[in-house]
Amino acid sequence: MQSPEEWQIPPEFQPDPDALAYDLRETLSSIVSLRARVSEDAFTAETLGVDRAGQGVVIRADGLVVTIGYLIAEAGEVWLTTNKGRTVAAHVIAYDYDSGFGLVQALEPLGVPAMSLGDSRRLSPGDHVVMGGSGGRVHSMAAQVVACQEFAGYWEYLIDNAIFTVPAHPNWGGTALIGPRGDLVGIGSLQLQHQAQGGAIVPLNMSVPVDLLKPILDDLLTLGRVGKPPKPWLGFYASETEEDQVSIIGLAGDAPAQRAGLRAGDNVQAVAGQAISSLAEFYRAIWALGAAGVDVPLTLEREGDTFDVTIRSADRNRFMKQPRLQ
């Protein structure tokens, strides 16, 4: 991503303070830029890099910040910078892989207000929102909700009611999705390409709804994880094909899928005898088998041959460097 000095949202796409029912400047002051450093031997270093940058949102007066988890996964160093230029160190509290949220704690006072958590269930297509970036209005975008629906990611990730907005914010990682009431309703996660009517390709943002954070926040703060058994994880990347098939497109390090001999290009036909035709079906079929450690029987097609393989699943957390409290 570009540094703050190199870009800004064109004025015509910036939010108009006079059109909003809240103090835009004060609300945007709750957003901080975030830099994270990860060691080169970290599990996620190859796919996510060792130097990561994005933003986060202060949600508590003591400097608790929520961001998108991939920015701070396995991070050994985290730095937060306010809109006024104050930079403080922070430490990672938790990364919840199921929701995608990450939490970090500022180690010194940030001197900024906290943004209250809103109700993402109130959002509907057509609602006007703000994608708030660190640096104030010039790094923020007036946007509109186009869909609230299920989203399946290629990295064994599935959430209900992901929030999709246009136009797309160029520095989306950890942006604050601000609702009509001036509260936090989501955290920016991805930029995706959508084929609109007429065939035009339109970029849009996907944000994780903040309602997924509320029921797990206390667990993340006290345990560093959600207080229930982890879901089974195989360590693959997958996509849906035009033929309604699920295809393996890559493998994650020395994870269960690679150890079991899966290859990029394998097509998944069934999980434990249950036929699947979408990523969402694939993930739900795996997770229905039990907690991490359960055996996962797959039926695969490879170069015209169909065969069965059973993979012993794992807890994804065990492959990651854990937060080191400071």
Side-chain angles (χ1 to χ4, degrees):
M1 293 184 180
Q2 297 169 308
S3 68
E5 293 76 17
E6 295 174 332
W7 71 280
Q8 72 173 35
I9 301 295
E12 62 269 27
F13 293 106
Q14 295 175 18
D16 179 4
D18 295 332
L20 301 172
Y22 56 90
D23 186 328
L24 177 65
R25 183 175 180 178
E26 180 170 352
T27 300
L28 294 179
S29 68
S30 300
I31 305 168
V32 294
S33 68
L34 182 152
R35 293 181 291 111
R37 174 75 181 177
V38 176
S39 64
E40 293 184 357
D41 64 343
F43 190 82
T44 58
E46 183 176 353
T47 53
L48 298 175
V50 296
D51 292 300
R52 305 173 192 170
Q55 42 247 308
V57 186
V58 178
I59 59 170
R60 213 167 59 179
D62 64 356
L64 179 67
V65 172
V66 61
T67 185
I68 197 67
Y70 59 73
L71 292 176
I72 50 93
E74 301 185 280
E77 298 178 17
V78 178
W79 297 90
L80 306 172
T81 302
T82 70
N83 289 353
K84 293 184 177 181
R86 175 169 171 74
T87 298
V88 305
H91 70 73
V92 176
I93 293 179
Y95 174 11
D96 177 52
Y97 295 97
D98 290 348
S99 66
F101 285 117
L103 292 176
V104 299
Q105 177 67 52
L107 297 178
E108 298 178 43
L110 287 164
V112 301
M115 192 181 302
S116 61
L117 301 183
D119 186 348
S120 52
R121 296 169 301 177
R122 291 178 177 269
L123 291 180
S124 301
D127 285 350
H128 293 279
V129 292
V130 171
M131 289 293 288
S134 60
R137 181 183 172 191
V138 297
H139 289 169
S140 301
M141 176 171 281
Q144 189 172 26
V145 177
V146 293
C148 298
Q149 62 188 43
E150 177 182 87
F151 173 78
Y154 63 85
W155 61 98
E156 297 180 68
Y157 177 74
L158 175 66
I159 60 172
D160 296 324
N161 297 317
I163 305 165
F164 297 87
T165 56
V166 293
H169 196 290
N171 280 27
W172 57 87
T175 49
L177 183 65
I178 303 169
R181 300 183 177 194
D183 46 21
L184 183 68
V185 292
I187 292 290
S189 175
L190 297 172
Q191 184 179 109
L192 304 169
Q193 302 297 318
H194 171 69
Q195 185 169 352
Q197 291 183 346
I201 302 299
V202 178
L204 48 75
N205 289 136
M206 187 278 278
S207 295
V208 181
V210 76
D211 278 14
L212 294 181
L213 177 64
K214 295 175 184 177
I216 63 174
L217 182 56
D218 286 345
D219 278 356
L220 296 182
L221 292 173
T222 57
L223 304 174
R225 58 178 175 79
V226 176
K228 63 180 181 180
K231 291 177 179 177
W233 176 74
L234 301 185
F236 57 76
Y237 307 119
S239 67
E240 297 176 11
T241 70
E242 294 181 355
E243 293 78 26
D244 290 331
Q245 288 186 313
V246 172
S247 182
I248 304 298
I249 59 175
L251 303 170
D254 187 28
Q258 180 160 283
R259 294 178 185 177
L262 266 65
R263 301 179 190 172
D266 289 347
N267 293 316
V268 183
Q269 296 187 337
V271 177
Q274 175 185 337
I276 56 101
S277 60
S278 70
L279 281 179
E281 287 181 350
F282 186 24
Y283 299 154
R284 289 193 173 105
I286 293 173
W287 298 337
L289 296 175
V294 70
D295 286 341
V296 179
L298 300 180
T299 301
L300 303 176
E301 182 273 324
R302 178 185 296 166
E303 298 177 351
D305 294 328
T306 300
F307 61 97
D308 295 324
V309 61
T310 297
I311 305 175
R312 174 63 58 88
S313 65
D315 176 2
R316 187 190 325 231
N317 266 302
R318 294 184 179 273
F319 287 76
M320 311 296 173
K321 291 183 180 293
Q322 298 306 303
R324 182 179 58 197
L325 297 182
Q326 300 181 29

